[in-house]
Amino acid sequence: MNKISTQEISEIVAKESAKSKKFSEQFLRELVSVIAEYLQKDGIVKVKGLGTFKVVTVEERKSVDVASGKEIILPAHNKIQFTAENSVKQTIKGQESNHRITESPHHRSYLYWIIILIVVVDFAALAYVSVPYWKPYYDEFMNKGESDAEDEFVIKQVVPDTEAVVEDTVATEPADTANTDVVEQPETVEQGITLENYTYQMAMEVPVKGTETVIDGSRLTMIAYRAYGSKDFWVYIYDANRDILHRPSDISTGMVLKIADLPLSIVNPNDEACIKKARELAKMY
Amino acid sequence: MNNKELITELSKRLGVTQKQVTEMLEVSTSALVSSVTETQSVVFQGFGAFELRKKNAKTLLNPATGEKMFIPAKQTLVFKPSDTYKSRVKEL
């Protein structure tokens, strides 16, 4: 390894700076002595165009004596650390290529896409499965302007005694009208109701196909949606329960509401005329 | 001590202006760096030596992304303190 000393480097400096060799040598010696002195004093010396000298403390550590094989403790001490300036590093690196070759791990990006796909499919499935739960709220939201907000109550789908009620009505009706079939009787009553001649008394007269108990939080329109397939038919729920409801907003928690068994000709959620009629009726309240 | 303090201290000791010191420092460091790259070792008696050291090529893993990085072999400037200076600094 070639070595050059202070004398030789001061020659180069003298040539380049156009100063005397004596001054250059003096300068370099002073430079080195100042660095050495202040490194001990301050612990850090920065020289522009060269780098940073630093004194760092090394804590004591265990080691093994190479000769005897015994464990020894190396005492804590200071050592000099030198970090070259970035510009110096770059010039020294010189002709060596300084760009980094990166290998991107492809398998990872595939994994990300699969996870995203699974999440999307899951959400789609969830949305589809939950249609029955959010559909009523969605419909109601879409028709907010047309329906009155009077009916703010929750009704719980029920009820064990539905059967009993239906049987009761079925059993009593045939007594009035002579010798018709038990099953046929309610149908003939229903058949008499049309959109044109409907009155609220009819809703009260027709047999009850079920009851709902009002629980806190939902509304007449929700019962109507479950009973007839459209929330616009809430008027029929009200009509059938006029004996306990004086106004549509009267319903309260714990009430048991009757669901009138109205014919499809009146409560067909797919028939424009039925919905129109129901909305007209609703305007009256 | 930063570069500014170094310059003022040198100008005080040598009895020259700070501007001259700055110029000389610039020339000296560049001469030092170029000498090191050419001859590979510059020794300052009683202080230490500046050397070139070869760093082998290595592959690193980026801990955040798991990316493999290939770092090519390169040379760096190192400072090797002389034994006398090292032992002087060694004491806490």
Side-chain angles (χ1 to χ4, degrees):
Chain A
M1 188 189 272
N2 293 324
K3 282 183 184 175
I4 59 168
S5 61
T6 322
Q7 282 87 358
E8 286 161 282
I9 195 149
S10 61
E11 271 176 33
I12 304 167
V13 172
K15 217 185 283 171
E16 280 189 31
S17 65
K19 293 264 165 39
S20 71
K21 200 192 157 199
K22 202 183 159 196
F23 176 73
S24 299
E25 202 180 321
Q26 197 194 351
F27 177 83
L28 279 174
R29 286 193 191 285
E30 285 298 340
L31 172 66
V32 167
S33 67
V34 167
I35 292 171
E37 218 179 292
Y38 279 88
L39 187 54
Q40 274 187 294
K41 215 165 104 184
D42 294 353
I44 181 166
V45 176
K46 282 181 184 172
V47 184
K48 206 181 166 195
L50 192 65
T52 308
F53 299 85
K54 225 182 197 173
V55 175
V56 291
T57 310
V58 183
E59 281 175 12
E60 68 169 25
R61 62 188 166 94
K62 278 183 192 167
S63 186
V64 176
D65 190 337
V66 186
S68 63
K70 282 179 191 164
E71 267 197 6
I72 49 167
I73 289 171
L74 296 177
H77 62 275
N78 287 333
K79 71 168 188 180
I80 298 158
Q81 197 182 57
F82 171 72
T83 317
E85 223 176 77
N86 272 338
S87 60
V88 175
K89 281 183 188 168
Q90 291 300 321
T91 52
I92 283 178
K93 244 199 268 181
Q95 58 272 61
E96 312 228 23
S97 70
N98 54 2
H99 55 82
R100 292 182 293 193
I101 303 155
T102 57
E103 296 169 24
S104 85
H106 288 290
H107 61 278
R108 254 175 206 252
S109 51
Y110 283 130
L111 197 67
Y112 291 145
W113 281 114
I114 289 166
I115 289 167
I116 290 166
L117 193 73
I118 288 168
V119 168
V120 168
V121 168
D122 269 7
F123 270 104
L126 191 69
Y128 180 74
V129 164
S130 64
V131 161
Y133 299 98
W134 56 258
K135 189 72 167 29
Y137 297 94
Y138 173 76
D139 282 353
E140 192 187 19
F141 177 75
M142 295 306 280
N143 294 324
K144 195 123 200 166
E146 291 138 53
S147 66
D148 290 321
E150 303 165 356
D151 35 11
E152 301 207 331
F153 300 89
V154 181
I155 284 81
K156 195 180 167 186
Q157 189 113 27
V158 217
V159 164
D161 55 16
T162 306
E163 296 281 301
V165 175
V166 173
E167 275 167 24
D168 272 355
T169 40
V170 165
T172 50
E173 298 261 338
D176 304 350
T177 33
N179 56 37
T180 24
D181 259 345
V182 173
V183 191
E184 259 180 36
Q185 187 50 42
E187 277 178 10
T188 50
V189 172
E190 287 168 16
Q191 239 58 25
I193 305 169
T194 60
L195 286 177
E196 285 73 34
N197 68 6
Y198 173 83
T199 58
Y200 69 88
Q201 285 90 352
M202 286 179 180
M204 296 179 76
E205 280 163 12
V206 295
V208 175
K209 71 169 178 180
T211 57
E212 293 234 8
T213 309
V214 180
I215 56 159
D216 199 22
S218 198
R219 37 197 82 170
L220 269 184
T221 48
M222 301 311 288
I223 319 169
Y225 184 87
R226 281 195 291 266
Y228 303 126
S230 170
K231 56 173 213 60
D232 283 312
F233 299 134
W234 67 267
V235 284
Y236 301 124
I237 308 285
Y238 167 62
D239 285 344
N241 295 285
R242 283 204 180 195
D243 50 340
I244 49 171
L245 296 174
H246 301 293
R247 287 178 293 119
S249 56
D250 264 354
I251 70 168
S252 57
T253 308
M255 238 174 218
V256 178
L257 296 177
K258 296 185 283 290
I259 310 295
D261 192 7
L262 292 164
L264 206 62
S265 58
I266 287 184
V267 287
N268 183 356
N270 298 319
D271 191 341
E272 283 287 316
C274 294
I275 293 181
K276 207 177 155 192
K277 169 79 177 173
R279 285 183 186 166
E280 272 170 26
L281 288 169
K283 277 179 196 161
M284 288 154 53
Y285 307 125
Chain B
M1 179 187 236
N2 60 30
N3 200 56
K4 215 172 173 182
E5 292 164 35
L6 178 72
I7 288 164
T8 49
E9 182 67 22
L10 280 173
S11 76
K12 213 195 288 172
R13 288 195 186 191
L14 293 162
V16 292
T17 62
Q18 292 194 8
K19 205 184 162 193
Q20 274 177 301
V21 173
T22 314
E23 279 168 16
M24 280 299 283
L25 194 63
E26 234 173 76
V27 173
S28 307
T29 53
S30 67
L32 181 66
V33 170
S34 60
S35 305
V36 168
T37 44
E38 276 163 32
T39 66
Q40 297 190 314
S41 184
V42 176
V43 182
F44 290 99
Q45 206 98 70
F47 179 57
F50 291 95
E51 285 179 8
L52 268 194
R53 201 164 285 169
K54 208 176 162 184
K55 302 263 173 164
N56 285 333
K58 56 188 171 181
T59 47
L60 295 181
L61 274 181
N62 182 333
T65 63
E67 245 175 48
K68 265 186 192 168
M69 294 194 304
F70 176 69
I71 294 163
K74 63 184 175 191
Q75 290 185 312
T76 51
L77 177 68
V78 293
F79 172 67
K80 218 172 124 184
S82 71
D83 282 347
T84 48
Y85 189 64
K86 213 173 16 182
S87 58
R88 254 204 287 166
V89 172
K90 207 168 185 173
E91 261 110 71
L92 296 166

